[in-house]
Amino acid sequence: EDGRYLVQVGKHEAKGSTPACELPGLKRESSELVGDAWCRLRTTKLGPLAEVIQVQRSERLTSKKSSKQHGVQSKYLRHVLYCSLTGGFDAPSCTALTPF
């Protein structure tokens, strides 16, 4: 790991763009395997990188905290995949019409 991160800096929706600095990710569907969730993430949110991104290792994290919705102690599981780029890619360009 070289200290570089791939982050999402905003979200573009029909009503406009909003800042959202976060690591790319998604929630797994009910009974979805980690590998299937990774394929879904790679082909949707990471589409332009799909052919040049490779998983190096994975880590399973467990935490317990009160759920926001029900206020009861809940166990949260997170799988973190550490990846690298195996080649170059063409990134789409965009122009911000209005500041965030």
Side-chain angles (χ1 to χ4, degrees), residues 4-84:
R4 294 185 290 174
Y5 295 90
L6 173 67
V7 297
Q8 177 178 329
V9 295
K11 293 183 180 183
H12 183 72
E13 300 168 346
K15 61 183 177 182
S17 298
T18 56
C21 188
E22 58 192 16
L23 296 172
L26 48 77
K27 287 186 179 181
R28 286 178 25 207
E29 301 292 334
S30 177
S31 71
E32 183 177 36
L33 300 174
V34 174
D36 294 336
W38 164 242
C39 287
R40 186 164 54 93
L41 175 66
R42 197 179 74 211
T43 58
T44 57
K45 292 185 176 185
L46 301 176
L49 304 175
E51 299 301 318
V52 296
I53 195 165
Q54 181 178 22
V55 176
Q56 299 298 317
R57 67 183 177 93
S58 65
E59 184 176 4
R60 181 177 168 173
L61 304 174
T62 304
S63 62
K64 292 182 181 178
K65 58 184 173 181
S66 293
S67 69
K68 292 178 182 177
Q69 189 173 10
H70 302 291
V72 297
Q73 188 77 355
S74 297
K75 182 177 180 179
Y76 294 91
L77 303 175
R78 171 179 279 193
H79 285 85
V80 178
L81 302 176
Y82 297 86
C83 302
S84 63

